[in-house]
Amino acid sequence: MDVFMQAAIDEAKKGLAEGGIPIGSVMVINRRIVGSGHNKRVQDGDPVMHAEIDCLRSAGRVGRYKDAVLYSTLMPCYLCAGAVVQFGIKKVIVGESKNFEGARAFMEAHGVEVVDLDLPECKDMMAEFIQKNPALWFEDIGKL
Amino acid sequence: MDVFMQAAIDEAKKGLAEGGIPIGSVMVINRRIVGSGHNKRVQDGDPVMHAEIDCLRSAGRVGRYKDAVLYSTLMPCYLCAGAVVQFGIKKVIVGESKNFEGARAFMEAHGVEVVDLDLPECKDMMAEFIQKNPALWFEDIGKL
């Protein structure tokens, strides 16, 4: 397992242990983790605190993102993909997109390289969560 | 002046008084303001705290956004437009788009109605800020 994706998975598990939605993210610049986070909709009662947004916040005011690689356990939605495109992040590596198609095409149309690792560990974690918490999941992706 | 756009302008001015970037936003459901916010990049050292994101946070876990109208003093960038599209907000009313083109076409392509009021007050406030603080502005839109 890629050490950075493992860190994103660890974030997702932290969120799950807190009673939250198990999606984790880390941002890497020059092979160093500069930010990490996980979905906190439940924990903070905050609808925008998706894993990637929490991760970008934790990294602070980076300024230039052209060398940044954003890892996420799940394909980013339009909110998080919008941040990627606006901030000029050039590469996104995800654990899976089977449980959520996300905004891959949108990112690619804006020149972002998207790599989908299609990891069983990520797919199983998310599938189990969605099955147990459908309303929470559909709230998170704006499909209530 | 539309009372809701005035509330968004008041938010922008609050941000300016705090030393921040003067962009404000309110969200309205059934003619009632349910959330409000302004850009807090400088104040909170937070790169994702654009006005619309701050506004969505302040509204909390709304769940369904289909009757929500999002007001912003400036055309939303991809980050904020991504939130609009993902959450299913159907209408966005902006003060201006002369200082920043934003992601209007992206929102419209996803079925969002976008109204640009092209208000001199909003254009002047933003133009003056950008002229005085170009580096801060380009940081905020990911163009450093």
Side-chain angles (χ1 to χ4, degrees):
Chain A
M1 171 75 72
D2 178 297
V3 61
F4 300 127
M5 183 51 73
Q6 185 59 58
I9 292 171
D10 291 346
E11 281 287 336
K13 288 181 178 171
K14 204 185 293 181
L16 190 62
E18 292 166 358
I21 303 172
I23 306 172
S25 175
V26 300
M27 187 162 72
V28 174
I29 297 179
N30 296 328
R31 302 286 303 164
R32 197 172 65 83
I33 292 178
V34 297
S36 58
H38 53 270
N39 189 301
K40 290 176 179 158
R41 168 179 296 273
V42 175
Q43 298 92 316
D44 293 356
D46 187 336
V48 303
M49 221 38 67
H50 283 198
E52 300 88 334
I53 298 294
D54 189 46
C55 174
L56 286 164
R57 292 186 85 192
S58 106
R61 287 171 62 182
V62 168
R64 296 190 72 181
Y65 294 81
K66 71 176 181 56
D67 297 320
V69 180
L70 189 68
Y71 288 76
S72 179
T73 54
L74 185 66
M75 187 67 76
C77 76
Y78 280 109
L79 162 62
C80 302
V84 166
V85 167
Q86 192 64 48
F87 290 7
I89 294 170
K90 297 297 179 203
K91 187 168 184 174
V92 172
I93 300 177
V94 307
E96 66 118 344
S97 62
K98 285 286 187 297
N99 288 294
F100 181 61
E101 188 186 8
R104 178 176 192 151
F106 164 69
M107 290 188 283
E108 289 179 337
H110 285 270
V112 180
E113 180 188 354
V114 181
V115 178
D116 183 353
L117 301 176
D118 194 37
L119 299 172
E121 183 174 358
C122 292
K123 286 187 281 191
D124 293 348
M125 178 170 59
M126 203 63 220
E128 188 181 336
F129 181 83
I130 294 172
Q131 195 181 14
K132 287 182 181 169
N133 307 275
L136 193 50
W137 169 242
F138 288 116
E139 178 190 335
D140 201 54
I141 58 170
K143 303 293 177 203
L144 273 188
Chain B
M1 172 73 73
D2 178 297
V3 61
F4 300 128
M5 183 52 73
Q6 186 58 58
I9 292 172
D10 291 346
E11 280 287 337
K13 287 180 177 169
K14 204 184 294 180
L16 189 63
E18 293 166 357
I21 303 172
I23 306 173
S25 175
V26 300
M27 187 162 73
V28 174
I29 296 180
N30 297 329
R31 302 286 302 165
R32 198 171 65 83
I33 292 178
V34 297
S36 58
H38 53 269
N39 189 300
K40 290 176 178 158
R41 169 181 294 274
V42 175
Q43 297 92 315
D44 293 356
D46 187 337
V48 303
M49 220 37 68
H50 283 197
E52 300 88 335
I53 298 295
D54 190 44
C55 174
L56 286 165
R57 291 186 86 192
S58 105
R61 286 170 62 180
V62 169
R64 296 190 73 180
Y65 294 81
K66 72 176 182 54
D67 297 320
V69 180
L70 189 68
Y71 287 75
S72 179
T73 55
L74 185 66
M75 186 68 76
C77 75
Y78 281 109
L79 163 61
C80 302
V84 166
V85 167
Q86 192 64 50
F87 290 6
I89 293 170
K90 297 296 178 204
K91 187 169 185 173
V92 172
I93 300 177
V94 307
E96 65 119 345
S97 62
K98 284 286 187 299
N99 288 293
F100 180 62
E101 189 185 6
R104 178 176 192 152
F106 164 69
M107 289 188 284
E108 289 179 337
H110 286 270
V112 181
E113 180 189 352
V114 181
V115 178
D116 182 353
L117 301 176
D118 194 37
L119 299 172
E121 183 175 357
C122 291
K123 285 187 283 191
D124 293 348
M125 179 170 59
M126 204 63 220
E128 188 181 337
F129 181 84
I130 294 172
Q131 194 180 15
K132 287 182 180 168
N133 307 275
L136 193 49
W137 170 243
F138 288 115
E139 179 190 334
D140 200 54
I141 57 170
K143 302 295 178 202
L144 274 188

